[in-house]
Amino acid sequence: MTVWVLGDQLSPDATPLQHDDHVLMIEAHAFGERLPYHPQKLALVFSAMRHFRDDLRERGYEVTYIEAETFADGLDRFYDAAPGTDLVMMDPPSHGAGERFRHLVESRGGSLTLVENDRFLTTPAEFDSWAGDAESYRQEHWYRHVRRETGILMDGDDPAGGEWNYDDQNRETPPDDWTPPEAPRFLPDDVTQEAIEFVRERYPAAWGSADEFVWPVTRDEARQALDHFVETRLTEFGPYQDAMLDGEWALCHSLLSASINLGLLTPHEVVEVVEDAYRDGTAPLNSVEGFVRQVVGWREFMRHVYRRSMPELADANQLGQTESLPEAYWTGETDMKCLSEAVGHVYDHGYAHHIERLMVLSNFALVYGVDPQELNRWFHLGFVDAYHWVTTPNVVGMGSFATDVLSSKPYASSGNYVNKMSDYCSSCPYAVSKTTGSNACPFNALYWDFLKENEELLRGTGRMGLMYSHVDRKDDDEWAEISARATEIRQMGRDGTL
Ligand SMILES: Cc1cc2nc3c(=O)[nH]c(=O)nc-3n(C[C@H](O)[C@H](O)[C@H](O)COP(=O)(O)OP(=O)(O)OC[C@H]3O[C@@H](n4cnc5c(N)ncnc54)[C@H](O)[C@@H]3O)c2cc1C
Ligand code: SF4
């Protein structure tokens, strides 16, 4: 057997690599032209694959590494040289990918065995047995189930510290004189530099800057990034998890998603190292639990919800949203301080932290009325950690509320949320306290307009009662002004004058 290793399966301890020492890797290039992918995303994947190839060779594996236009072209070349070879691969999480690869291999006279993907903490069988026939799911229930089953952050039958969730300690904003610890920088070596040059030449339409590439491209670097996070940022990760600060793109976030999604780190080891920090007394429980929930709860949950909800999930649009993305998502040019910061972070780094993704980038698109599929494409092309299996449930499900399969209410808010969790509004030309009028914060009128427009679906949903009690207090004159301002803002979004 030969192990076919995909670009997001770069783990030397992956199960198939323990049984066979012949490896196939195909670096396919044409997919990078389907969307204007961020150059750091493309360079990261190509560089990490090339490093992994070299690492496997040093470990004694015989690696066939093919650079080709498509996987089909790569397999043609592979099977010309090695007819009839049987391949084994870890089942990729993106919908239908495994079967597509199997078809490509079989039509060239080989066979492809798909085995369990051990780059996740939980298996499809475990989730399916927990979920049964359910068609909608709640993360908190799944999270508690996994902790009970695995013993992660548990003291016997009870959650460590007695509570499942320490969110009430994790919504602080830093004091004015606070500066975040510096984010680790893994500067491009020759292999990465070559990948960046290749990407610059091959993909001139790519969206984003390749200038500040600092991502880990090997397992050693990813381990250093994990250790650096635990030593320097984990303690403040919890309290400042939801905060946003002018000029700061990373704050105390781990920046590990790209490494975990590539397979350079396993979720198991990440959680273990973080839990150890709590057990050693070097990190507080609210930060450790907050982080563990992201990985054990959200990441696993998203993977399984996606698996069970595709293909319908990708096309879901229960609110019937049809607007195109405002120009500012492409140019970053907007007076809206929060939006220009978040888009700028994506353009410069291929990254924005969770609250920027959820409460600025997708929240604004949601209340503005953006088509969820268009938003999903933007997230997919713009982020270094984006893969269809993880971007789609986060953007279409969580961010756009295009389906209620994974949450009972939309993550929609007015400018108040941004004002509470950031220092942006004080330096923004828009007034967060105003809903209508020429300098009123664009979030505000759009938010009320969104609630009004979607009243039929949302009024009875989840925990929306309080919001609709405010809706009910507005009179016809107020609604007319809100509607006019929302229309004006949408036009400004289209014109690029927001
Ligand atoms: C609209 C939207 C789009 C997103 N798109 C992606 C994406 O393309 N790829 C991606 O990996 N994550 C995505 N996320 C989830 C989350 O925002 C990122 O994983 C996180 O911001 C990555 O930064 P970090 O490593 O510094 O994370 P931290 O804040 O340090 O969190 C720790 C880890 O938890 C995991 N995690 C946390 N939340 C999620 C989640 N909702 N889904 C999956 N994993 C999670 C990640 O592995 C992350 O590295 C998205 C979230 C939203 C709201
Ligand atoms: S005032 Fe509105 S647009 Fe400006 S930063 Fe605050 S929330 Fe964003």
Side-chain angles (χ1 to χ4, degrees):
M1 284 269 207
T2 293
V3 184
W4 183 0
V5 174
L6 297 176
D8 60 354
Q9 301 183 344
L10 308 180
S11 313
D13 61 348
T15 310
L17 290 172
Q18 312 317 308
H19 303 297
D20 295 288
D21 57 7
H22 282 63
V23 171
L24 166 66
M25 296 178 75
I26 300 176
E27 190 184 303
H29 295 155
F31 89 92
E33 281 160 350
R34 273 190 238 148
L35 293 173
Y37 286 105
H38 201 292
Q40 294 189 35
K41 162 72 181 291
L42 296 168
L44 173 61
V45 174
F46 296 151
S47 173
M49 286 181 74
R50 294 172 194 181
H51 277 102
F52 191 67
R53 167 199 63 198
D54 298 344
D55 179 49
L56 285 181
R57 284 182 179 151
E58 269 173 36
R59 290 166 187 259
Y61 287 86
E62 192 172 306
V63 184
T64 304
Y65 193 92
I66 299 176
E67 291 187 39
E69 279 303 289
T70 62
F71 286 114
D73 293 345
L75 287 172
D76 280 341
R77 276 160 53 193
F78 178 72
Y79 277 107
D80 280 349
T85 302
D86 296 323
L87 296 173
V88 57
M89 172 197 276
M90 289 200 298
D91 202 358
S94 287
H95 179 72
E99 287 314 313
R100 276 197 301 280
F101 287 132
R102 198 206 298 275
H103 174 72
L104 287 175
V105 168
E106 287 178 355
S107 60
R108 284 159 182 79
S111 74
L112 176 64
T113 305
L114 294 168
V115 298
E116 192 88 70
N117 190 324
D118 58 19
R119 306 299 83 192
F120 292 92
L121 260 157
T122 56
T123 64
E126 281 161 359
F127 188 91
D128 293 348
S129 119
W130 169 78
D133 299 335
E135 287 178 3
S136 67
Y137 320 93
R138 296 297 169 256
Q139 186 274 148
E140 184 67 28
H141 302 161
W142 162 248
Y143 168 58
R144 293 182 188 191
H145 169 77
V146 179
R147 280 185 56 191
R148 280 198 198 94
E149 290 293 308
T150 57
I152 291 169
L153 217 51
M154 296 292 290
D155 291 333
D157 292 338
D158 298 320
E163 305 286 336
W164 292 102
N165 184 316
Y166 294 89
D167 261 357
D168 55 343
Q169 298 172 38
N170 287 353
R171 293 192 193 107
E172 289 180 32
T173 46
D176 289 346
D177 58 356
W178 182 81
T179 46
E182 213 169 307
R185 295 162 63 83
F186 299 93
L187 295 178
D189 62 5
D190 289 347
V191 175
T192 304
Q193 205 57 57
E194 201 179 297
I196 292 173
E197 288 316 316
F198 169 74
V199 167
R200 280 197 168 117
E201 272 181 34
R202 168 78 203 237
Y203 307 99
W207 180 82
S209 163
D211 296 345
E212 288 185 52
F213 187 104
V214 293
W215 301 104
V217 292
T218 64
R219 178 165 163 72
D220 278 355
E221 288 184 346
R223 271 304 297 212
Q224 287 172 42
L226 172 59
D227 294 343
H228 186 273
F229 167 64
V230 172
E231 282 158 22
T232 65
R233 307 210 302 294
L234 175 58
T235 295
E236 291 173 311
F237 168 84
Y240 302 151
Q241 196 174 346
D242 290 357
M244 294 175 279
L245 277 193
D246 193 353
E248 300 294 345
W249 68 282
L251 294 171
C252 289
H253 290 270
S254 71
L255 312 175
L256 294 175
S257 51
S259 298
I260 301 172
N261 293 350
L262 282 170
L264 298 177
L265 292 173
T266 66
H268 314 70
E269 71 183 322
V270 167
V271 165
E272 195 178 299
V273 171
V274 167
E275 179 170 359
D276 284 350
Y278 163 65
R279 302 283 178 201
D280 300 348
T282 52
L285 184 54
N286 58 314
S287 285
V288 169
E289 189 281 317
F291 183 85
V292 166
R293 177 147 32 92
Q294 305 306 314
V295 180
V296 168
W298 281 109
R299 185 172 186 274
E300 297 292 316
F301 181 71
M302 290 304 196
R303 184 254 177 140
H304 293 300
V305 170
Y306 168 87
R307 184 177 55 76
R308 286 172 57 119
S309 314
M310 282 295 288
E312 293 79 12
L313 177 67
D315 295 327
N317 190 358
Q318 67 172 346
L319 301 174
Q321 310 252 65
T322 54
E323 286 287 338
S324 284
L325 268 179
E327 272 300 294
Y329 281 68
W330 299 109
T331 61
E333 283 170 20
T334 165
D335 287 342
M336 293 178 68
K337 178 79 182 166
C338 51
L339 194 59
S340 80
E341 281 279 317
V343 173
H345 297 161
V346 185
Y347 188 87
D348 290 342
H349 303 285
Y351 176 92
H353 67 68
H354 185 66
I355 289 302
E356 289 181 309
R357 297 188 203 203
L358 185 61
M359 299 311 293
V360 178
L361 295 165
S362 65
N363 180 19
F364 189 72
L366 172 69
V367 295
Y368 180 96
V370 174
D371 173 359
Q373 278 71 57
E374 188 170 332
L375 187 66
N376 197 19
R377 274 196 296 283
W378 184 82
F379 270 96
H380 193 162
L381 68 89
F383 284 76
V384 289
D385 56 15
Y387 296 87
H388 197 259
W389 69 266
V390 61
T391 314
T392 303
N394 272 299
V395 177
V396 177
M398 191 186 217
S400 304
F401 199 55
T403 161
D404 57 6
V405 69
L406 54 72
S407 63
S408 57
K409 76 188 231 323
Y411 286 87
S413 85
S414 67
N416 280 345
Y417 181 89
V418 175
N419 193 27
K420 195 167 125 222
M421 296 315 303
S422 79
D423 61 0
Y424 293 155
C425 300
S426 55
S427 60
C428 179
Y430 288 112
V432 71
S433 55
K434 290 174 68 180
T435 299
T436 55
S438 63
N439 72 335
C441 169
F443 265 110
N444 294 342
L446 289 176
Y447 171 69
W448 292 113
D449 189 58
F450 170 81
L451 290 184
K452 188 77 174 159
E453 285 296 310
N454 294 292
E455 183 166 4
E456 205 179 319
L457 186 78
L458 299 182
R459 186 180 273 277
T461 312
R463 291 151 287 156
M464 297 296 284
L466 179 63
M467 294 298 107
Y468 277 96
S469 68
H470 296 300
V471 167
D472 293 340
R473 270 187 236 133
K474 296 193 186 299
D475 63 27
D476 288 350
D477 290 346
E478 269 183 277
W479 283 117
E481 282 183 44
I482 287 170
S483 170
R485 176 68 176 153
T487 304
E488 182 183 37
I489 290 164
R490 291 197 180 93
Q491 193 55 49
M492 289 161 77
R494 292 179 207 119
D495 296 345
T497 54
L498 257 181

